[in-house]
Amino acid sequence: MAQPATRNLGRLSEIAQVAVRHGFGYWFDTHRLTDLFPRRSRLEEDGQPSQRGQHLREMLDELGPTFVKFGQLLSTRPDVLPPDIIAELRGLQDDVRAFPLADVEKVIEEDLGLSIDQLFVEFEDKPIAAASIGQVHRATLPNGKRVAVKVQRPGAPRQIEADVALLYQAARIAKERVRALDFIDAQQLVDEFSRSIRQELDYRLEARNAETFHRNFAGHPHVRVPKVFWTYTRSRVLTLEWLDGVQVADLDPNQWSIENRRDLAYLMTETWMTMIFRHGFFHGDPHPANILVLGHGEQIGLVDFGAVGKLTDDDMSKLTRMFIDAAAENVEALPRRLSELGVRYPKEREEEFLAELREMYYRYYGASLAEIDPLQVIREAFQLIYSMNLQLPTRFLLLDKAIATLGSVGVDLYPDFNVFEVARPYARSLMLERFTPHRMAVRARKESLKLGAMALELPYQIHDILEEFRDGQIEIGFVHKGLDDLLNRLDVVFNRLVIAMVVAGGLIGSSLIGIFAKAGPHVLGINLISVIGFALSGLLGLWLLWGVVRSGRL
């Protein structure tokens, strides 16, 4: 049973040595993690702090495909890493060496039950793209349809599970021994990564995503999504319609006029706005390699549907209201819109929150994409959120990443593109759609059903409350604020009042004794008991006066 742990420790040691080679030896020294190294190794010279993002990217590249994907996940977390590192991690490409055709044939035959020659008329030996989990080959079906066949790398699940176990071990070490990382939930990060990468291992999930996009954009004049061929699709094989186009990443600026590039940037932005605000199902990685330009730019095609974001109807409705307010310069409404989305902030700090939002909004309003760093904007938003101890729902992190990536692609295409030029008309159309008779009728029906369900539940809820009253199960919690201080003050007041009454009683009693007592010892003609009473009362009176003077409340 100790063998896997020993093997993991050896791999951790190897990772540590790679990290040192890329200039992170100081980090292991600072956090006393040098025991991860073999005895014979030594810490090498570190790189410059300004190059840390580049060194981290190169280190993850060297460690292998799983770590590249983990770096891609970290690039979506501006709440965890600073902007310079995130900018570098966004450059991580999931490109690895292709695996042999014999392995491709074996996987296809195991999953589809037939050989390549039986399934396809043509099948290109050389893949057109290779990644950590699989690679893509161009092929032709017996009916003449050209397709893209994505085949999973043999042994990918086993390698990924081993690497995920290693990441969990690294997260445990970080939690136990690196206090500087206490603000990060490393376990939660690895959980998020493991869920994401395990979903990518089942190509049927990606096929369902592709089919949803295909259905959502069916008949759209400017957006094409490949059709899924389910007969040729299994958990390790995915077959999609071939889209003949040029990747946005490969566009030659010299062959495209500035007007064409501007139109293409508009089309891409409108496409993602449609996904987010109308469909509630958006492509999570609008990388320039995942967007194809079809024909002469009048159409775009979408590929690679492994990372998608899903929004509920309620999320879409709230995002739409916030988008409309932002496009209409209604900054005062933004705190309320953010609160509706789940961002929590103290009520007493609402004015401060609004002032910060207004300042950030007008700093970027009207600027071109060339003048805006999307990563910096998102980072500033996160800094504002965390500086005010606000809570951001994690389901919007992929949306942030998609918007930031899309903004970067827009800059490359058309530097003078102003996102508000697209936002304003789109916001107007969204507003008009929200108040069409059909939409209002649908909303009225939904609200009526909710209210009806609440009305039906009300008698039962009242009955349950009365039952709890009868059985004595109702407990009322009383929370007071500032009452302790008041009670302390009252306690002091009553103590002083009692002492004052004792002093007054002593003085009166001593006077009466002095007047009426004739027998017993006398001092200077005054009864001794009366003298003692006056003395004690005087001392108590002086003590009370001194306490009042010291309190400053004379």
PDB file of all heavy atoms in Angstrom, residues 2-24:
ATOM      1  N   ALA A   2       2.102   1.163   0.430  1.00  0.00           N
ATOM      2  CA  ALA A   2       2.960   2.343   0.513  1.00  0.00           C
ATOM      3  C   ALA A   2       3.572   2.691  -0.831  1.00  0.00           C
ATOM      4  O   ALA A   2       4.109   3.769  -1.011  1.00  0.00           O
ATOM      5  CB  ALA A   2       4.059   2.127   1.543  1.00  0.00           C
ATOM      6  N   GLN A   3       3.478   1.764  -1.800  1.00  0.00           N
ATOM      7  CA  GLN A   3       4.144   1.997  -3.084  1.00  0.00           C
ATOM      8  C   GLN A   3       3.615   3.209  -3.828  1.00  0.00           C
ATOM      9  O   GLN A   3       4.400   4.033  -4.302  1.00  0.00           O
ATOM     10  CB  GLN A   3       4.032   0.732  -3.945  1.00  0.00           C
ATOM     11  CG  GLN A   3       4.866   0.834  -5.219  1.00  0.00           C
ATOM     12  CD  GLN A   3       4.811  -0.439  -6.022  1.00  0.00           C
ATOM     13  OE1 GLN A   3       4.178  -1.395  -5.607  1.00  0.00           O
ATOM     14  NE2 GLN A   3       5.472  -0.459  -7.166  1.00  0.00           N
ATOM     15  N   PRO A   4       2.265   3.408  -3.979  1.00  0.00           N
ATOM     16  CA  PRO A   4       1.787   4.591  -4.680  1.00  0.00           C
ATOM     17  C   PRO A   4       2.229   5.869  -4.020  1.00  0.00           C
ATOM     18  O   PRO A   4       2.595   6.837  -4.686  1.00  0.00           O
ATOM     19  CB  PRO A   4       0.258   4.422  -4.635  1.00  0.00           C
ATOM     20  CG  PRO A   4       0.033   2.962  -4.443  1.00  0.00           C
ATOM     21  CD  PRO A   4       1.165   2.510  -3.594  1.00  0.00           C
ATOM     22  N   ALA A   5       2.191   5.917  -2.664  1.00  0.00           N
ATOM     23  CA  ALA A   5       2.608   7.132  -1.968  1.00  0.00           C
ATOM     24  C   ALA A   5       4.078   7.419  -2.233  1.00  0.00           C
ATOM     25  O   ALA A   5       4.490   8.558  -2.445  1.00  0.00           O
ATOM     26  CB  ALA A   5       2.345   6.985  -0.468  1.00  0.00           C
ATOM     27  N   THR A   6       4.910   6.346  -2.224  1.00  0.00           N
ATOM     28  CA  THR A   6       6.333   6.525  -2.494  1.00  0.00           C
ATOM     29  C   THR A   6       6.549   7.024  -3.916  1.00  0.00           C
ATOM     30  O   THR A   6       7.370   7.912  -4.168  1.00  0.00           O
ATOM     31  CB  THR A   6       7.065   5.184  -2.287  1.00  0.00           C
ATOM     32  OG1 THR A   6       6.804   4.715  -0.974  1.00  0.00           O
ATOM     33  CG2 THR A   6       8.557   5.360  -2.499  1.00  0.00           C
ATOM     34  N   ARG A   7       5.789   6.455  -4.864  1.00  0.00           N
ATOM     35  CA  ARG A   7       5.906   6.878  -6.254  1.00  0.00           C
ATOM     36  C   ARG A   7       5.486   8.331  -6.399  1.00  0.00           C
ATOM     37  O   ARG A   7       6.123   9.119  -7.093  1.00  0.00           O
ATOM     38  CB  ARG A   7       5.054   5.969  -7.131  1.00  0.00           C
ATOM     39  CG  ARG A   7       5.242   6.233  -8.625  1.00  0.00           C
ATOM     40  CD  ARG A   7       4.684   5.089  -9.468  1.00  0.00           C
ATOM     41  NE  ARG A   7       3.287   4.827  -9.208  1.00  0.00           N
ATOM     42  CZ  ARG A   7       2.811   3.717  -8.662  1.00  0.00           C
ATOM     43  NH1 ARG A   7       3.636   2.762  -8.289  1.00  0.00           N
ATOM     44  NH2 ARG A   7       1.517   3.545  -8.447  1.00  0.00           N
ATOM     45  N   ASN A   8       4.397   8.721  -5.709  1.00  0.00           N
ATOM     46  CA  ASN A   8       3.947  10.111  -5.757  1.00  0.00           C
ATOM     47  C   ASN A   8       4.992  11.053  -5.184  1.00  0.00           C
ATOM     48  O   ASN A   8       5.213  12.142  -5.689  1.00  0.00           O
ATOM     49  CB  ASN A   8       2.634  10.269  -4.984  1.00  0.00           C
ATOM     50  CG  ASN A   8       1.436   9.872  -5.831  1.00  0.00           C
ATOM     51  OD1 ASN A   8       1.571   9.602  -7.017  1.00  0.00           O
ATOM     52  ND2 ASN A   8       0.285   9.808  -5.209  1.00  0.00           N
ATOM     53  N   LEU A   9       5.638  10.618  -4.072  1.00  0.00           N
ATOM     54  CA  LEU A   9       6.658  11.463  -3.461  1.00  0.00           C
ATOM     55  C   LEU A   9       7.829  11.652  -4.416  1.00  0.00           C
ATOM     56  O   LEU A   9       8.393  12.752  -4.515  1.00  0.00           O
ATOM     57  CB  LEU A   9       7.126  10.834  -2.149  1.00  0.00           C
ATOM     58  CG  LEU A   9       8.021  11.708  -1.260  1.00  0.00           C
ATOM     59  CD1 LEU A   9       7.294  12.986  -0.872  1.00  0.00           C
ATOM     60  CD2 LEU A   9       8.443  10.938  -0.022  1.00  0.00           C
ATOM     61  N   GLY A  10       8.188  10.582  -5.135  1.00  0.00           N
ATOM     62  CA  GLY A  10       9.255  10.705  -6.124  1.00  0.00           C
ATOM     63  C   GLY A  10       8.889  11.664  -7.238  1.00  0.00           C
ATOM     64  O   GLY A  10       9.721  12.474  -7.681  1.00  0.00           O
ATOM     65  N   ARG A  11       7.634  11.608  -7.675  1.00  0.00           N
ATOM     66  CA  ARG A  11       7.175  12.520  -8.724  1.00  0.00           C
ATOM     67  C   ARG A  11       7.135  13.962  -8.199  1.00  0.00           C
ATOM     68  O   ARG A  11       7.491  14.902  -8.915  1.00  0.00           O
ATOM     69  CB  ARG A  11       5.787  12.081  -9.197  1.00  0.00           C
ATOM     70  CG  ARG A  11       5.122  12.996 -10.211  1.00  0.00           C
ATOM     71  CD  ARG A  11       5.893  13.128 -11.496  1.00  0.00           C
ATOM     72  NE  ARG A  11       5.097  13.822 -12.504  1.00  0.00           N
ATOM     73  CZ  ARG A  11       5.611  14.528 -13.512  1.00  0.00           C
ATOM     74  NH1 ARG A  11       6.914  14.613 -13.654  1.00  0.00           N
ATOM     75  NH2 ARG A  11       4.810  15.120 -14.372  1.00  0.00           N
ATOM     76  N   LEU A  12       6.713  14.138  -6.929  1.00  0.00           N
ATOM     77  CA  LEU A  12       6.730  15.478  -6.332  1.00  0.00           C
ATOM     78  C   LEU A  12       8.149  16.029  -6.298  1.00  0.00           C
ATOM     79  O   LEU A  12       8.378  17.217  -6.558  1.00  0.00           O
ATOM     80  CB  LEU A  12       6.156  15.429  -4.913  1.00  0.00           C
ATOM     81  CG  LEU A  12       4.629  15.470  -4.774  1.00  0.00           C
ATOM     82  CD1 LEU A  12       4.237  15.307  -3.322  1.00  0.00           C
ATOM     83  CD2 LEU A  12       4.065  16.763  -5.323  1.00  0.00           C
ATOM     84  N   SER A  13       9.097  15.164  -5.971  1.00  0.00           N
ATOM     85  CA  SER A  13      10.497  15.593  -5.954  1.00  0.00           C
ATOM     86  C   SER A  13      10.947  16.010  -7.348  1.00  0.00           C
ATOM     87  O   SER A  13      11.644  17.017  -7.523  1.00  0.00           O
ATOM     88  CB  SER A  13      11.377  14.448  -5.424  1.00  0.00           C
ATOM     89  OG  SER A  13      12.736  14.794  -5.511  1.00  0.00           O
ATOM     90  N   GLU A  14      10.510  15.259  -8.343  1.00  0.00           N
ATOM     91  CA  GLU A  14      10.857  15.603  -9.732  1.00  0.00           C
ATOM     92  C   GLU A  14      10.256  16.954 -10.129  1.00  0.00           C
ATOM     93  O   GLU A  14      10.915  17.786 -10.763  1.00  0.00           O
ATOM     94  CB  GLU A  14      10.336  14.498 -10.658  1.00  0.00           C
ATOM     95  CG  GLU A  14      10.621  14.747 -12.127  1.00  0.00           C
ATOM     96  CD  GLU A  14       9.929  13.720 -13.017  1.00  0.00           C
ATOM     97  OE1 GLU A  14       9.594  12.632 -12.522  1.00  0.00           O
ATOM     98  OE2 GLU A  14       9.732  14.028 -14.212  1.00  0.00           O
ATOM     99  N   ILE A  15       8.990  17.175  -9.718  1.00  0.00           N
ATOM    100  CA  ILE A  15       8.328  18.453 -10.016  1.00  0.00           C
ATOM    101  C   ILE A  15       9.067  19.602  -9.341  1.00  0.00           C
ATOM    102  O   ILE A  15       9.276  20.670  -9.920  1.00  0.00           O
ATOM    103  CB  ILE A  15       6.859  18.412  -9.557  1.00  0.00           C
ATOM    104  CG1 ILE A  15       6.062  17.440 -10.430  1.00  0.00           C
ATOM    105  CG2 ILE A  15       6.227  19.796  -9.605  1.00  0.00           C
ATOM    106  CD1 ILE A  15       4.679  17.141  -9.902  1.00  0.00           C
ATOM    107  N   ALA A  16       9.497  19.374  -8.079  1.00  0.00           N
ATOM    108  CA  ALA A  16      10.221  20.410  -7.349  1.00  0.00           C
ATOM    109  C   ALA A  16      11.518  20.766  -8.061  1.00  0.00           C
ATOM    110  O   ALA A  16      11.883  21.947  -8.167  1.00  0.00           O
ATOM    111  CB  ALA A  16      10.497  19.938  -5.918  1.00  0.00           C
ATOM    112  N   GLN A  17      12.211  19.766  -8.580  1.00  0.00           N
ATOM    113  CA  GLN A  17      13.470  20.034  -9.292  1.00  0.00           C
ATOM    114  C   GLN A  17      13.224  20.808 -10.588  1.00  0.00           C
ATOM    115  O   GLN A  17      14.002  21.700 -10.945  1.00  0.00           O
ATOM    116  CB  GLN A  17      14.178  18.708  -9.579  1.00  0.00           C
ATOM    117  CG  GLN A  17      14.703  18.029  -8.326  1.00  0.00           C
ATOM    118  CD  GLN A  17      15.385  16.716  -8.628  1.00  0.00           C
ATOM    119  OE1 GLN A  17      16.504  16.684  -9.125  1.00  0.00           O
ATOM    120  NE2 GLN A  17      14.701  15.615  -8.350  1.00  0.00           N
ATOM    121  N   VAL A  18      12.130  20.482 -11.282  1.00  0.00           N
ATOM    122  CA  VAL A  18      11.780  21.245 -12.491  1.00  0.00           C
ATOM    123  C   VAL A  18      11.476  22.694 -12.124  1.00  0.00           C
ATOM    124  O   VAL A  18      11.891  23.634 -12.817  1.00  0.00           O
ATOM    125  CB  VAL A  18      10.564  20.601 -13.205  1.00  0.00           C
ATOM    126  CG1 VAL A  18      10.086  21.493 -14.352  1.00  0.00           C
ATOM    127  CG2 VAL A  18      10.928  19.214 -13.728  1.00  0.00           C
ATOM    128  N   ALA A  19      10.767  22.881 -10.996  1.00  0.00           N
ATOM    129  CA  ALA A  19      10.441  24.237 -10.547  1.00  0.00           C
ATOM    130  C   ALA A  19      11.704  25.032 -10.245  1.00  0.00           C
ATOM    131  O   ALA A  19      11.824  26.213 -10.605  1.00  0.00           O
ATOM    132  CB  ALA A  19       9.539  24.175  -9.312  1.00  0.00           C
ATOM    133  N   VAL A  20      12.664  24.394  -9.587  1.00  0.00           N
ATOM    134  CA  VAL A  20      13.927  25.070  -9.283  1.00  0.00           C
ATOM    135  C   VAL A  20      14.655  25.438 -10.571  1.00  0.00           C
ATOM    136  O   VAL A  20      15.215  26.536 -10.709  1.00  0.00           O
ATOM    137  CB  VAL A  20      14.815  24.169  -8.394  1.00  0.00           C
ATOM    138  CG1 VAL A  20      16.223  24.731  -8.277  1.00  0.00           C
ATOM    139  CG2 VAL A  20      14.193  24.038  -7.012  1.00  0.00           C
ATOM    140  N   ARG A  21      14.637  24.528 -11.532  1.00  0.00           N
ATOM    141  CA  ARG A  21      15.314  24.787 -12.809  1.00  0.00           C
ATOM    142  C   ARG A  21      14.721  25.994 -13.527  1.00  0.00           C
ATOM    143  O   ARG A  21      15.394  26.671 -14.285  1.00  0.00           O
ATOM    144  CB  ARG A  21      15.226  23.531 -13.673  1.00  0.00           C
ATOM    145  CG  ARG A  21      16.148  23.560 -14.875  1.00  0.00           C
ATOM    146  CD  ARG A  21      16.456  22.195 -15.431  1.00  0.00           C
ATOM    147  NE  ARG A  21      15.271  21.460 -15.818  1.00  0.00           N
ATOM    148  CZ  ARG A  21      14.832  20.366 -15.206  1.00  0.00           C
ATOM    149  NH1 ARG A  21      15.470  19.898 -14.147  1.00  0.00           N
ATOM    150  NH2 ARG A  21      13.749  19.731 -15.609  1.00  0.00           N
ATOM    151  N   HIS A  22      13.441  26.283 -13.234  1.00  0.00           N
ATOM    152  CA  HIS A  22      12.780  27.428 -13.877  1.00  0.00           C
ATOM    153  C   HIS A  22      12.742  28.645 -12.960  1.00  0.00           C
ATOM    154  O   HIS A  22      11.978  29.580 -13.203  1.00  0.00           O
ATOM    155  CB  HIS A  22      11.365  27.035 -14.312  1.00  0.00           C
ATOM    156  CG  HIS A  22      11.344  26.148 -15.521  1.00  0.00           C
ATOM    157  ND1 HIS A  22      11.431  26.635 -16.799  1.00  0.00           N
ATOM    158  CD2 HIS A  22      11.276  24.794 -15.627  1.00  0.00           C
ATOM    159  CE1 HIS A  22      11.398  25.621 -17.671  1.00  0.00           C
ATOM    160  NE2 HIS A  22      11.301  24.495 -16.967  1.00  0.00           N
ATOM    161  N   GLY A  23      13.553  28.642 -11.907  1.00  0.00           N
ATOM    162  CA  GLY A  23      13.723  29.859 -11.116  1.00  0.00           C
ATOM    163  C   GLY A  23      12.865  29.991  -9.881  1.00  0.00           C
ATOM    164  O   GLY A  23      12.710  31.095  -9.354  1.00  0.00           O
ATOM    165  N   PHE A  24      12.292  28.874  -9.370  1.00  0.00           N
ATOM    166  CA  PHE A  24      11.419  28.960  -8.196  1.00  0.00           C
ATOM    167  C   PHE A  24      12.036  28.320  -6.960  1.00  0.00           C
ATOM    168  O   PHE A  24      11.327  27.970  -6.018  1.00  0.00           O
ATOM    169  CB  PHE A  24      10.068  28.302  -8.499  1.00  0.00           C
ATOM    170  CG  PHE A  24       9.245  29.064  -9.496  1.00  0.00           C
ATOM    171  CD1 PHE A  24       9.225  28.679 -10.833  1.00  0.00           C
ATOM    172  CD2 PHE A  24       8.525  30.183  -9.119  1.00  0.00           C
ATOM    173  CE1 PHE A  24       8.481  29.390 -11.763  1.00  0.00           C
ATOM    174  CE2 PHE A  24       7.778  30.899 -10.042  1.00  0.00           C
ATOM    175  CZ  PHE A  24       7.760  30.503 -11.372  1.00  0.00           C
TER     176      PHE A  24
END
